Amino acid sequence: MQEMLWKSTRDAVLSELKSRDSGLTDAEVAARLALNGPNSVKKTRTHVLKILWRQVTSNVLIIVLSVATLISYSLGQHTSSYYIFAMILLSVGLGFWNEYAAERTVDSLLDTISPRATVQRNGSHIEIPVADITVGDIVLISQGSIIPADLRIISSHNLSINQSTLTGESLASEKRSDPLSVAPKNPNEYSNIAYMGTMVESGNGVGVVVLVGQTTTFGALAESTTYIKPQTEFEKGLAQFGTLLVKVILLLTVVMFAVNALLGHPVLDSLLFALAIAVGLTPELLPVIVTVSLSRGAGVLARHHVIAKQLIAIENLGNMDILCTDKTGTLTEGIIELVDCVPIGKTTHEELLQAALIATSQDSTKTGIDAAVARATQSKHITDTTMHIVNEPFDFDRKAMFSVVQKDTSLHLIGKGAPEWILEHCHGAHAATLKAAFEKLYTSGLRVSIIVTKKVEKRNHYSWSDATDMQVLGYLTFKDVPKESARIALQHLHHLNVSVKVITGDNELVAQSICKEVGMDTTHIMLGSDVDSLSESALQDALLVATIVARCTPEQKLKVITTLRSLGHVVGYMGDGINDIPSLRAADVGISVNSAVDVAKGAASIVLLSKGLDVIASGVREGRRTFSNTIKYILMSTSSNFGNMFSAAGASFFLPFLPMTPVQILLTNGLYDVSQLGIPTDNVDRESLLKPRHWNIGFIKNYMLFFGPISSMYDFLTFGILLFVFHANGPLFQTGWFIESVMTEILVVFVIRTARTPFFKSKPSKTLLITCFTLIAAALCIPFSPFAHSLGFVAPSFTLFATLIALVLTYLTLVEYMKQKFLARYSL
């Protein structure tokens, strides 16, 4: 950091940076962007070569098979080597294209919620993407803002910034515009510098940009730091399944290679055969299926105005069984309107409204009650003509705020907020009598904001300790109309077995009134004080039945989330304010809205372009659809596919020839893989969406052990018919089994994809139907094609062909019957 930046006065800093209070001109911005580049920290974006390299190196079996095939080619086996290389390229190509498309999907979705900042340019305030900020820009910051670049503060009002992203220190640092005479020991302790990536905790200010992008302190830290994200339950499940497969594949590969070599088969042929079987056992499309399913889900959700910041967040959303949310904007329209203005004593309506305006947030963008007050006073041409000395921001514990202003020659503290805390610090008979009146207002769904005042002495610092012995000027009532869509959305979430709990800082009577209007059960209501006072076990029991937790502080909201999670629930939390940050981070699924403060969007994994519960229900369904389709692929790979590969391994021990050549095995596997690319688009039965489903490796093992032998039994039945009925030699045997393998592997998807019986009661997607039957048609044509001889196939007779069709049909019938038996005994 250049010494002049922290040591010089604000005017000297602006002069050095060739900037001014009115901001840069468009010509200056263009020149500086060309010189300094965009204001962005290095970020992983779609990179073709990296994705391709990852696909080539991610599967060790593919690498070993490629090396063995090169050796085979060098020894003169050119034709088979070409086919094997073609299958390898097909596998890598499919994985590359789908991962590339998924990465592009995420990039485009993230662009829709890219962070923005308010700057002064050409003498006007404008909002621009953070990436377009450059050195010399004048940036306006307020509570909830994420600092978009390294700034030298040039003006501030009670400005406190949380620098934990850089220092790990949770306490906020006060920031001022005054120059420093001595440099602090720690570079992060400059009181007039705001660092990129830190968060405004309270107050507001203005800063001039001194460093952007990679040159900032945050940029340098991001460049040198590797952050490892914790695994989600979905990712852990995939890893456990991968471990299971590796053990099975390694054992089978070693045994097959050793036995075939001992039986006198050529060593290279034995190695290629064992590796081909291993590749056949590997569900190499699993990452593709997962990625495509998630990216497709992200695209579907985007059309419903839901943006998943990470693809895996969609699956987490599907697992959610409890959603905690505030009522404003979810159960209500989120547009708070002033209903009534009730002055007390000699206070007039105009005086009460002006006092309310004085005590509102001084930020340029007002929300909630502050926005309602601003609209009401503007319509009556009431303005704030006082000189503000202090503007104390909203305190979430007290649910109040105050300003100290100069009126004529005296100083006045004017406060505004929820009556519960304020009335305890007021004098006069009004305080006692107002409580009963407020109870009636609360039961009708009205929110109350009380306005108070007192004279104060001039001093350097004011705090909440000064807000005592205040006089009540009157109160304002507000209404937030319930959403018409909320009742239906709550019903949808109920059908999906997602419990909705309203966690709010509002009075319990107001919350109860709103929740009743949208059809929620309000029998069990808790208060924030209960969260603190109950024992751990009592709190757990109470939270399980409570639908409303009212008068909650941010700390109490966090305790609610962590308690529910400790009971094994997957908890979503929906919030859009700075007070929601701890809960958004603690929840399994943090949900915010695009209009939220920057830090709330940053902490969330799901961002809604429009706030409402209806879009959440769509997200839950999409997450569960993704999981269901992923499990479909795994179950198919562990039944027919596994059975066929085990059969090939077993048959190789007693046949005088290989049951399939390495090329034929890879061709079978390739046709099967391509046919399954339609799975991410597949329909999912309604009953499969009603409850969250989780990884169950035991269930997958049981499925493999139950259906794998059925597949192998039919394979050996096929072997017997080919050998003893049709007296098949090597090529005819391999052709017959190739046809049977491809058809059983592909067609069994229609049986396994649904728990319904018979399976045709469940309608597959058109894409899955097209891919499956197209690939079956291609497989049936191969023995009659010009490539048949080079692949080792011969044209089967009509009798053999009809026999194979009959075997396939009886196999599917048996699997359908055994599916009922299996599902009656096991559940996922």
Side-chain angles (χ1 to χ4, degrees):
M1 187 72 67
Q2 298 177 32
E3 185 174 312
M4 55 77 49
L5 295 176
W6 54 266
K7 196 172 185 178
S8 302
T9 64
R10 68 181 302 281
D11 293 334
V13 171
L14 289 173
S15 176
E16 177 69 21
L17 296 172
K18 296 181 174 58
S19 187
R20 60 204 71 83
D21 288 327
S22 60
L24 301 175
T25 65
D26 291 339
E28 288 172 325
V29 169
R32 297 185 187 203
L33 282 172
L35 177 65
N36 300 308
N39 177 42
S40 58
V41 175
K42 187 176 182 181
K43 178 184 173 184
T44 303
R45 280 275 182 175
T46 306
H47 196 295
V48 174
L49 293 179
K50 283 186 177 180
I51 294 174
L52 182 60
W53 178 249
R54 188 158 59 241
Q55 288 296 325
V56 171
T57 58
S58 61
N59 191 333
V60 177
L61 290 173
I62 291 290
I63 297 173
V64 175
L65 182 61
S66 299
V67 172
T69 307
L70 279 173
I71 297 172
S72 176
Y73 180 85
S74 66
L75 296 176
Q77 298 182 19
H78 294 172
T79 303
S80 61
S81 299
Y82 291 143
Y83 282 119
I84 293 175
F85 277 129
M87 291 297 103
I88 293 171
L89 290 174
L90 175 65
S91 176
V92 171
L94 285 173
F96 163 76
W97 174 251
N98 284 287
E99 185 177 350
Y100 176 76
E103 292 271 3
R104 291 290 299 271
T105 298
V106 175
D107 287 347
S108 63
L109 292 178
L110 289 178
D111 287 340
T112 65
I113 55 169
S114 57
R116 302 177 73 84
T118 301
V119 300
Q120 179 93 350
R121 284 184 182 173
N122 302 304
S124 302
H125 291 179
I126 60 171
E127 192 178 77
I128 63 170
V130 165
D132 293 344
I133 287 176
T134 192
V135 174
D137 260 325
I138 305 298
V139 180
L140 285 70
I141 55 176
S142 58
Q143 187 183 46
S145 298
I146 293 178
I147 304 300
D150 281 1
L151 310 177
R152 165 62 157 88
I153 303 299
I154 58 176
S155 73
S156 65
H157 299 283
N158 301 322
L159 183 61
S160 293
I161 294 181
N162 187 312
Q163 301 183 146
S164 58
T165 52
L166 297 178
T167 65
E169 175 58 54
S170 60
L171 294 177
S173 301
E174 185 180 354
K175 298 292 181 178
R176 300 181 298 273
S177 59
D178 305 327
L180 303 178
S181 56
V182 179
K185 295 180 180 179
N186 189 331
N188 295 325
E189 294 176 357
Y190 287 96
S191 62
N192 55 12
I193 300 294
Y195 297 96
M196 181 185 200
T198 58
M199 177 194 78
V200 178
E201 198 162 277
S202 63
N204 55 71
V206 180
V208 59
V209 177
V210 295
L211 293 172
V212 294
Q214 293 294 104
T215 62
T216 63
T217 304
F218 183 82
L221 182 65
E223 180 74 18
S224 61
T225 303
T226 300
Y227 172 65
I228 301 175
K229 292 188 295 184
Q231 277 190 319
T232 66
E233 288 302 314
F234 186 71
E235 291 169 322
K236 289 177 182 177
L238 283 175
Q240 289 174 353
F241 178 65
T243 302
L244 172 65
L245 282 182
V246 167
K247 292 177 180 177
V248 173
I249 290 168
L250 284 177
L251 177 63
L252 192 61
T253 303
V254 171
V255 170
M256 279 192 301
F257 173 67
V259 171
N260 275 281
L262 291 172
L263 290 174
H265 297 161
V267 173
L268 183 57
D269 287 349
S270 299
L271 177 61
L272 285 172
F273 177 74
L275 288 172
I277 290 290
V279 171
L281 285 170
T282 306
E284 64 270 24
L285 275 193
L286 179 58
V288 175
I289 297 295
V290 172
T291 304
V292 173
S293 295
L294 291 173
S295 61
R296 178 182 178 275
V300 171
L301 290 182
R303 291 195 288 275
H304 291 283
H305 308 293
V306 180
I307 305 301
K309 290 169 59 180
Q310 303 98 26
L311 287 180
I312 204 69
I314 298 171
E315 200 279 332
N316 294 340
L317 190 59
N319 278 341
M320 181 177 69
D321 61 351
I322 293 180
L323 173 63
C324 298
T325 179
D326 195 358
K327 58 182 177 30
T328 304
T330 51
L331 303 183
T332 67
E333 294 292 347
I335 303 174
I336 298 173
E337 295 293 349
L338 178 65
V339 175
D340 199 5
C341 172
V342 184
I344 291 175
K346 296 181 180 180
T347 308
T348 67
H349 280 79
E350 289 73 17
E351 288 171 339
L352 180 59
L353 283 172
Q354 185 183 54
L357 180 63
I358 291 170
T360 61
S361 166
Q362 299 302 299
D363 293 345
S364 56
T365 303
K366 294 179 174 62
T367 58
I369 286 178
D370 283 354
V373 170
R375 288 193 299 271
T377 52
Q378 187 176 14
S379 67
K380 295 180 180 296
H381 307 290
I382 296 173
T383 57
D384 178 6
T385 57
T386 60
M387 183 176 74
H388 285 244
I389 308 300
V390 169
N391 296 304
E392 184 68 23
F394 187 82
D395 185 284
F396 292 103
D397 291 328
R398 296 176 176 86
K399 300 179 180 62
M401 61 197 304
F402 71 80
S403 295
V404 175
V405 298
Q406 183 170 335
K407 298 174 71 175
D408 299 325
T409 58
S410 58
L411 293 177
H412 295 260
L413 182 151
I414 299 177
K416 172 174 68 68
E420 285 78 15
W421 184 86
I422 290 183
L423 284 178
E424 293 178 0
H425 296 79
C426 292
H427 67 265
H430 295 302
T433 57
L434 283 173
K435 290 184 179 180
F438 291 159
E439 294 289 317
K440 294 181 179 179
L441 294 171
Y442 292 148
T443 55
S444 61
L446 292 176
R447 298 170 68 175
V448 178
S449 186
I450 194 166
I451 314 299
V452 294
T453 188
K454 69 177 287 189
K455 282 188 177 182
V456 292
E457 299 296 325
K458 185 175 182 179
R459 58 173 65 97
N460 293 328
H461 179 72
Y462 297 91
S463 68
W464 284 101
S465 62
D466 296 301
T468 57
D469 197 30
M470 297 179 289
Q471 174 193 348
V472 178
L473 296 176
Y475 61 88
L476 309 177
T477 59
F478 302 87
K479 181 76 171 180
D480 191 1
V481 180
K483 276 187 177 179
E484 292 184 8
S485 62
R487 182 183 292 270
I488 297 174
L490 285 167
Q491 291 173 355
H492 287 165
L493 287 169
H494 176 72
H495 292 323
L496 292 168
N497 284 280
V498 177
S499 301
V500 177
K501 298 183 184 295
V502 172
I503 307 180
T504 178
D506 268 355
N507 179 284
E508 66 274 16
L509 296 176
V510 176
Q512 184 180 38
S513 175
I514 295 292
C515 291
K516 274 185 176 179
E517 286 192 60
V518 296
M520 285 186 67
D521 178 12
T522 59
T523 306
H524 301 283
I525 300 175
M526 291 179 63
L527 300 181
S529 56
D530 298 329
V531 175
D532 289 334
S533 62
L534 291 174
S535 66
E536 183 178 351
S537 60
L539 178 60
Q540 291 174 346
D541 293 339
L543 284 175
L544 286 176
V545 296
T547 53
I548 299 172
V549 187
R551 301 193 195 188
C552 254
T553 65
E555 292 76 16
Q556 291 163 347
K557 289 182 181 181
L558 176 61
K559 190 173 182 180
V560 169
I561 301 299
T562 54
T563 301
L564 289 171
R565 288 192 68 203
S566 70
L567 293 170
H569 293 283
V570 178
V571 182
Y573 181 81
M574 189 170 176
D576 57 6
I578 190 171
N579 60 314
D580 294 310
I581 304 305
S583 297
L584 284 168
R585 288 175 175 160
D588 296 285
V589 188
I591 306 167
S592 191
V593 290
N594 204 26
S595 57
V597 296
D598 291 342
V599 284
K601 288 195 292 184
S605 54
I606 300 286
V607 176
L608 311 181
L609 299 184
S610 59
K611 193 172 184 180
L613 292 178
D614 47 347
V615 292
I616 299 295
S618 299
V620 171
R621 279 190 291 269
E622 207 53 52
R624 293 179 185 177
R625 181 177 289 110
T626 298
F627 183 84
S628 292
N629 283 336
T630 302
I631 289 297
K632 284 178 191 176
Y633 177 76
I634 289 174
L635 294 182
M636 287 180 286
S637 296
T638 54
S639 56
S640 179
N641 196 23
F642 258 63
N644 286 350
M645 294 304 106
F646 283 134
S647 301
S652 67
F653 300 156
F654 65 83
L655 287 175
F657 48 82
L658 291 176
M660 273 196 205
T661 65
V663 173
Q664 292 166 348
I665 290 173
L666 292 176
L667 178 60
T668 303
N669 190 55
L671 291 170
Y672 167 76
D673 282 345
V674 175
S675 73
Q676 302 310 297
L677 289 177
I679 285 181
T681 70
D682 192 24
N683 302 321
V684 175
D685 298 335
R686 180 180 174 276
E687 56 269 26
S688 295
L689 301 176
L690 295 182
K691 291 183 179 180
R693 302 166 72 192
H694 304 282
W695 279 95
N696 186 338
I697 296 301
F699 178 87
I700 295 173
K701 284 181 181 177
N702 290 330
Y703 207 95
M704 182 192 307
L705 296 174
F706 193 88
F707 287 100
I710 295 174
S711 177
S712 292
M713 179 185 73
Y714 257 81
D715 285 333
F716 282 103
L717 177 61
T718 303
F719 296 163
I721 292 173
L722 288 171
L723 289 172
F724 302 113
V725 177
F726 292 94
H727 307 290
N729 57 10
L732 183 60
F733 182 97
Q734 292 160 352
T735 303
W737 192 44
F738 167 76
I739 293 173
E740 187 259 2
S741 293
V742 170
M743 293 185 70
T744 54
E745 284 187 27
I746 293 177
L747 288 176
V748 79
V749 63
F750 298 107
V751 178
I752 292 176
R753 60 171 292 279
T754 178
R756 293 179 182 177
T757 53
F759 66 86
F760 49 77
K761 286 185 177 180
S762 175
K763 184 180 179 181
S765 69
K766 290 182 180 179
T767 304
L768 184 61
L769 283 168
I770 291 170
T771 54
C772 286
F773 283 99
T774 299
L775 269 297
I776 287 174
L780 295 179
C781 291
I782 287 174
F784 305 96
S785 71
F787 306 106
H789 179 71
S790 58
L791 289 168
F793 294 132
V794 294
S797 65
F798 175 80
T799 306
L800 175 56
F801 196 84
T803 302
L804 294 172
I805 297 295
L807 282 169
V808 170
L809 293 176
T810 54
Y811 167 73
L812 296 177
T813 303
L814 179 61
V815 172
E816 173 69 15
Y817 173 76
M818 297 304 292
K819 179 181 73 175
Q820 300 176 50
K821 301 293 184 184
F822 179 83
L823 293 177
R825 185 175 179 182
Y826 303 102
S827 61
L828 180 59

